Amino acid sequence: MSALPRSVRARLTLWHAAVLAVIICSFSAAVFLLVREQLFADLDSRLDRDLSAVERTWRADPGEVSEAETRAGIQLFEVLEGRRVTYRTEEWARRGLASGGAAGSSRFSWLPADGRPVRILTTEDADRRIAVALDESQIRRTLRTLALVLALGIPVAVAVSVAGGTFLAGRALKPIGALADRARQITAESLDERLPVENREDEFGRLATVFNETLGRLQESFDRLRRFTADASHELRTPLTAMRSVGEVALHDSLDPAAYRDVIGSMLEEVQRLTGLVENLLLLTRAESGRPQPATSVVDVGALAARAAETLRVLAEEKEQTLTVDAGGAVMARCDPALLRQGIVNLVDNAIKYTPARGAIHVEVRLLDTGDAAIEVKDTGPGIARAHHGRIFERFYRVDAARSRAEGGTGLGLSIVRHLVEAHGGRVVAESEPGKGTTIALLFPDGREPGAESRYL
Ligand code: ADP
């Protein structure tokens, strides 16, 4: 497990304080070294000045070298000739300083017995050796004070930075807390609520916007699901109510065997309607839950359309309708043959259902200029007003509910067609006007140019 704290606020503050501590430590060390360097450089140049003054005086007259102390006020120096001390200041002697044994020039710090450090500069040639010294204790005190100030300043600065960082991080992250509280209150029953967006441009605003968009999509699917459940229950109730009332009447009255057979017959009819409805619901649910899949097989659309239409010929014959199929040219499309068959069956079934007796239904398969492989199902029925075109593909939508039910329709046929076809990369379009019949076409892409539109809406 990570040693870092869990809260972002604490982590931010910690990082901030750690970085600041490193910066302040490096800065303090640099300041200390620089000041130390500067103070010692000043001391050394004063030593150089004192040494050359003593040297000058000695050169002018070795016997009068004491003038360097009396006149120039240089308090710490000694002059030796060979091993003999020519002159040594009173202060030098009192403090028991020594110029060291190193030959030539040397510069060093030294702690004499009195505990007050000095800096000594010596120069030596064949006949004499001069040493000057300056007290270093003031510099050392200054450096100690500086070190103390810096050492105390670092924890204080880090403490202030932790406090400031905690406050700032708290302020900056406050909207996240507010968003989380609000999001926690949103349930399936209150999907219409949205998170507050104070500024769409900042990170929190963008997060809230994305979350709100997701909520919007969820709400839409929930609403659709609720509508679907309500519609499905309504559809299922109708045949169930019919069965119950027929059954109740039969139970109540004593009927002859032929009447009972009628009752059972009409109950079976309702059962058949229920079975059809449940099958369609299952098919639709499967079509809706399936992810779009790229069609892998190339289908001979003409042959398949002819076979599908043929299975419904008996229904058309019952209504004395003519059912013709024009699938002359070899039209190939990339699609799933089972779903294409289901789509064609649904369209031809609708055409037979809604076209009056002795009408005509024509199935045509052709390649459009746009490259679409089109399967068109035309009829000479009542047609559909333009206002309904966009809606006939919705679940349970019927232009004329009574008529659809009377014909055994469930209101799901076109919705199933659209979902199946779209899940496999195709489209379904309608062209119809009242009194001029209806044409509904399934279009499957076959190397179609992007942007090329068919003549359908
Ligand atoms: P249904 O089971 O009611 O036929 P569909 O989803 O198959 O449900 O069709 C939806 C509605 O579209 C139908 O109720 C009907 O009003 C209309 N419709 C579909 N096909 C045709 C057609 N060929 N001619 C006239 N109206 C049609």
Side-chain angles (χ1 to χ4, degrees), residues 294-308 327 329-342 344 365-367 371-375 424 442 444-446:
T296 45
S297 40
V298 176
V299 179
D300 179 347
V301 186
L304 194 139
R307 280 200 303 277
V331 178
M332 310 299 278
R334 272 192 183 278
C335 61
D336 180 326
L339 85 88
L340 182 60
R341 186 181 177 286
Q342 178 74 53
I344 296 169
V365 177
R366 62 199 179 97
L367 200 62
D372 285 337
I375 304 109
H424 289 77
L442 306 181
F444 283 92
D446 187 2

Side-chain angles (χ1 to χ4, degrees), residues 155-222:
V156 170
V158 171
V160 170
S161 119
V162 167
T166 310
F167 173 72
L168 281 179
R171 269 189 70 124
L173 296 174
K174 203 171 158 208
I176 285 275
L179 288 183
D181 288 345
R182 192 67 181 273
R184 204 171 291 127
Q185 289 163 8
I186 298 176
T187 62
E189 279 67 44
S190 56
L191 278 176
D192 55 334
E193 282 185 31
R194 294 290 178 268
L195 298 184
V197 183
E198 279 173 23
N199 177 2
R200 293 183 76 84
E201 302 303 319
D202 72 11
E203 286 81 349
F204 300 129
R206 287 210 296 274
L207 179 71
T209 309
V210 169
F211 193 83
N212 283 344
E213 284 167 5
T214 310
L215 274 180
R217 286 196 294 273
L218 268 178
Q219 187 187 4
E220 226 171 75
S221 349
F222 258 72

